């Protein structure tokens, strides 16, 4: 019986989805893609294939590291704003406001060109173990993207922490859980469940911010496409391929997050 | 440091302020273009035929999945190319498109995709009876749009549109990468000439932050006005 219902459902859905005008649109889209494949120049692809893969790997790696580190920063930021005294809440609020009120490009340039030009003046920094890293560009990119993600996500976590029903926390306290255990077992997981749909959007936004690191000479996938454009004098081909790559990664991210969301019990509270 | 930021030469404060003015011009223009596209897009998505709906879905999905920087580059080259090709085909000379117009068009196209979704949601949030009542009175569609739909959706749309305005002010910085003269590029120039990188980027950050805070204050006033006569959520609780 259940099987029958699904079959009918699937049939109904495909007939709704593949309406005549959609078939025409799909044919037009296929035609556009095929004409792009045959009439545009793609002979540069084999030469830049490896460089492109390296760039893509670097973009994804920066995305993963900055999202994870940024989220770890965001949890205390959100907690401080939602439940902290004014002495911790005010600085956290100020941090989030400043990060959200200024463009990421300016933050990135401030760290790389600004701090980067101050550091060499101090001999003790130049002699320390950090200097080999501070001379490169990527630590500044990772730092800027991490702080930006933390600033935006801190606001989200503030709402998520505040939105956990009081009854759950009171029940945990009535069970005699310690404060740390309440936070670890109840408050944080419940808040993360609530923040997860927003987190998907923020991760996609973070992916779309990663090409900015190319402006401080980090060779990510965007920088590779710029190099192709400089070398071959082609305008559209590298950009179109780049857009396709970002769209694919976005699709994979959204799909992965929807799988994670599906695993979470959605009857909260 | 103070001399570097003074508004008259040899200070670079005037350059920064001029850049800020250009940034605001581009952001205002892009938001207006975005609102026009957004209103049209929302109407198309809600009331349009199947083809219009699918095309709009493709537009909003693609624009929201591709980084702004890539879109700006693509649209800038494609847009100027297209205009020049049309002009040469019609027998006119090729023209140089001004940075301001191109920046507004490109950012407006991006903003349009986001505001389409915001306005669509806001129109859906209008109580059905208000629109039905207007139709029952025999209001023509244009009057219905002007008198009922737009004012009634405003309180629902303003939070989302306010976010979009703040995003637009910050996205203007991206145009520096393509070479439009606005605050980020002015800052970069000032910092490059004087080598006082830290000072100038801090100053630019402060200007953007001030713009955001002032916008937040003004938007709060507009929102309160658009909600006049509606029951307050705070009192209901």
């Amino acid at each position: 019986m259940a099987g029958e219902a699904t079959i009918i459902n699937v049939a109904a859905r495909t007939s709704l989805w593949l309406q005549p005008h959609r078939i025409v649109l799909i044919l037009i889209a296929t035609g556009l893609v095929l004409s792009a494949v045959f009439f545009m120049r793609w002979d540069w692809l084999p030469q830049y294939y490896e460089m492109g893969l390296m760039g893509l790997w670097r973009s994804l790696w920066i995305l993963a590291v900055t999202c994870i580190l940024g989220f770890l920063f965001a949890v205390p930021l959100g907690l401080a704003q939602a439940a902290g005294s004014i002495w911790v809440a005010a600085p956290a609020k100020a941090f989030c406001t400043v990060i959200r009120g200024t463009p990421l490009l300016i933050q990135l340039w401030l760290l790389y060109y600004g701090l980067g030009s101050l550091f060499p003046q101090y001999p003790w920094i130049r002699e320390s173990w950090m200097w080999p890293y501070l001379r490169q560009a990527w630590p500044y990119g990772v730092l800027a993207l991490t702080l930006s993600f933390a600033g935006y996500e801190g606001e989200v976590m503030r709402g998520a922490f505040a939105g956990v029903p009081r009854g759950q926390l009171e029940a945990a306290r009535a069970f005699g859980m310690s404060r740390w255990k309440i936070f670890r077992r109840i408050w944080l997981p419940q808040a993360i469940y609530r923040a997860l749909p927003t987190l998907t959007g923020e991760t996609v936004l973070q992916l779309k911010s990663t090409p900015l690191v190319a402006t401080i000479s980090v060779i990510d996938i965007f920088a590779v496409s710029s190099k192709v454009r400089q070398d071959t004098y082609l305008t559209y081909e590298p950009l179109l391929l780049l857009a396709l790559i970002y769209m694919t990664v976005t699709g994979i991210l959204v799909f992965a997050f929807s799988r994670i969301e599906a695993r979470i019990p959605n009857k909260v509270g | 440091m103070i001399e570097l930021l003074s508004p008259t030469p040899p200070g670079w404060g005037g350059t920064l302020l001029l850049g800020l003015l250009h940034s605001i011009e581009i952001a205002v223009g892009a938001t207006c273009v975005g609102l026009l596209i957004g209103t049209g897009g929302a109407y198309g998505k809600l009331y349009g035929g199947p083809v219009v709906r699918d095309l709009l879905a493709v537009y909003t999905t693609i624009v929201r999945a591709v980084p702004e920087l890539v879109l700006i580059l693509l649209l800038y080259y494609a847009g100027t190319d297209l205009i020049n090709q049309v002009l040469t085909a019609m027998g006119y000379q090729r023209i140089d498109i001004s940075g301001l117009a191109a920046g507004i068009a490109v950012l407006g196209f991006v903003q349009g995709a986001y505001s389409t979704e915001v306005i669509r949601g806001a129109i859906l949030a209008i109580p059905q009876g208000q629109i039905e009542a207007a139709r029952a009175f025999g209001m023509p569609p244009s009057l219905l749009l002007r008198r009922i739909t737009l004012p009634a959706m405003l309180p629902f749309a303003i939070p989302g549109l306010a976010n979009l305005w703040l995003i637009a002010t910050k996205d203007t910085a991206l145009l520096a990468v393509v070479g439009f003269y606005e605050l980020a590029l002015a800052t970069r120039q000032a910092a490059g000439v004087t080598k006082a990188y830290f000072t100038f980027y801090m100053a630019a950050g402060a200007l953007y932050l001030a713009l955001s805070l002032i916008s937040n204050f003004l938007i709060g006033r507009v929102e309160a006005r658009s909600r006049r006569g509606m029951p307050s959520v705070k009192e209901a609780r």
Side-chain angles (χ1 to χ4, degrees):
Chain A
M1 171 125 178
E4 207 176 309
T6 1
I7 290 165
I8 293 166
N9 257 340
V10 168
R13 222 181 285 158
T14 38
S15 74
L16 265 182
W17 207 86
L18 275 183
Q19 290 155 344
H21 77 273
R22 286 227 170 105
I23 297 174
V24 174
L25 285 181
I26 290 170
L27 285 179
I28 293 174
T30 323
L32 282 177
V33 171
L34 285 179
S35 62
V37 169
F38 287 115
F39 294 116
M40 293 177 121
R41 278 189 51 201
W42 302 100
D43 50 335
W44 47 272
L45 263 179
Q47 201 188 334
Y48 290 94
Y49 175 70
E50 268 180 42
M51 196 196 259
L53 276 187
M54 283 299 292
L56 181 61
W57 168 246
R58 189 164 292 170
S59 288
L60 294 178
W61 174 85
I62 288 178
L63 173 72
V65 169
T66 56
C67 281
I68 293 168
L69 286 180
F71 186 73
L72 292 181
F73 269 117
V75 169
L77 278 174
L79 196 63
Q81 288 183 71
S85 72
I86 186 160
W87 298 109
V88 275
K93 179 91 200 152
F95 174 79
C96 289
T97 312
V98 169
I99 291 288
R100 285 150 46 99
T102 51
L104 178 55
L105 195 62
I106 294 289
Q107 295 164 16
L108 195 65
W109 288 356
L110 174 67
L111 288 179
Y112 181 66
Y113 296 112
L115 277 186
S117 69
L118 290 187
F119 282 150
Q121 298 171 5
Y122 301 99
W124 62 270
I125 290 181
R126 259 188 310 190
E127 281 152 21
S128 76
W129 57 271
M130 292 188 314
W131 186 238
Y133 297 102
L134 291 180
R135 267 190 342 195
Q136 297 176 38
W138 65 265
Y140 298 95
V142 167
L143 181 62
L145 283 170
T146 302
L147 291 180
S148 154
F149 192 77
Y152 283 92
E153 202 55 33
E155 282 291 305
V156 175
M157 288 314 286
R158 173 182 65 82
F161 276 121
V164 174
R166 283 184 65 87
Q168 299 209 3
L169 303 180
E170 281 164 8
R173 201 170 303 149
F175 270 113
M177 283 190 191
S178 67
R179 288 178 74 170
W180 169 237
K181 203 177 251 182
I182 292 177
F183 176 73
R184 194 160 44 91
R185 285 215 187 138
I186 316 286
W187 212 6
L188 184 61
Q190 291 283 351
I192 291 178
Y193 290 176
R194 271 150 204 281
L196 208 57
T198 328
L199 205 61
T200 317
E202 294 287 335
T203 314
V204 172
L205 287 182
Q206 183 79 350
L207 169 71
K208 297 201 301 171
S209 312
T210 53
L212 292 186
V213 295
T215 62
I216 57 166
S217 74
V218 178
I219 310 289
D220 72 333
I221 184 74
F222 181 83
V224 172
S225 113
S226 304
K227 182 164 169 44
V228 174
R229 283 196 296 132
Q230 275 169 14
D231 290 356
T232 60
Y233 301 111
L234 293 171
T235 316
Y236 298 111
E237 286 87 344
L239 280 174
L240 284 175
L241 188 64
L242 188 65
L244 185 70
I245 291 172
Y246 278 111
M247 271 155 52
T248 315
V249 178
T250 305
I252 294 172
L253 273 179
V254 170
F255 177 73
F257 269 96
S258 75
R259 290 296 291 270
I260 297 173
E261 258 176 68
R263 293 167 65 101
I264 285 173
N266 56 358
K267 277 260 177 186
V268 178
Chain B
M1 187 176 143
I2 301 298
E3 295 103 72
L4 283 177
L5 288 174
S6 83
T8 48
W12 288 82
T15 316
L16 291 198
L17 288 178
L18 189 68
L20 179 67
L21 188 71
H22 284 211
S23 286
I24 295 175
E25 276 173 5
I26 294 176
V28 168
T31 308
C32 291
V33 173
L35 282 178
L36 283 179
I37 298 179
T39 314
Y43 257 73
K45 271 200 165 181
L46 287 172
Y47 304 111
V51 179
V52 173
R53 270 189 223 192
D54 282 358
L55 288 178
L56 283 171
V58 170
Y59 163 58
T60 51
T61 314
I62 289 184
V63 169
R64 296 194 303 168
V66 176
E68 277 82 351
L69 196 53
V70 180
L71 275 177
I72 285 170
L73 287 176
L74 255 178
L75 291 174
Y76 178 63
Y77 292 124
T80 47
D81 240 28
L82 198 69
I83 290 176
N84 275 326
Q85 276 186 4
V86 169
L87 280 180
T88 42
M90 284 163 61
Y92 293 101
Q93 293 259 305
R94 297 176 69 85
I95 50 161
D96 277 332
I97 288 131
S98 86
L100 188 69
I104 287 176
V106 169
L107 276 190
F109 187 79
V110 178
Q111 287 272 311
Y114 290 89
S115 43
T116 296
E117 292 299 310
V118 171
I119 294 176
R120 188 179 68 96
I123 291 179
L124 282 176
I126 302 174
Q128 271 297 303
Q130 296 192 7
I131 291 174
E132 279 167 10
R135 286 215 185 105
F137 272 113
M139 246 186 213
S142 61
L143 198 63
L144 174 72
L145 174 74
R146 194 154 48 83
R147 285 230 184 117
I148 312 290
T149 311
L150 289 186
M153 65 132 205
L154 217 49
F156 306 109
I158 280 183
L161 294 180
N163 268 343
L164 288 183
W165 158 252
L166 291 179
I167 291 174
T169 58
K170 289 187 288 168
D171 270 359
T172 55
L174 296 182
L175 294 173
V177 176
V178 207
F180 291 136
Y181 195 79
E182 42 65 66
L183 182 49
L185 195 64
T187 315
R188 196 171 192 177
Q189 199 185 33
V193 172
T194 58
K195 304 289 172 206
Y197 294 98
F198 199 75
T199 314
F200 280 111
Y201 287 124
M202 283 299 262
L207 285 179
Y208 277 112
L209 188 62
L211 183 59
S212 292
L213 294 177
I214 294 171
S215 310
N216 270 343
F217 173 73
L218 292 178
I219 290 163
R221 298 281 293 272
V222 173
E223 193 177 353
R225 179 167 163 76
S226 75
R227 279 187 178 280
R228 69 197 187 282
M230 289 175 76
S232 158
V233 181
K234 266 184 199 151
E235 283 162 26
R237 275 171 100 183

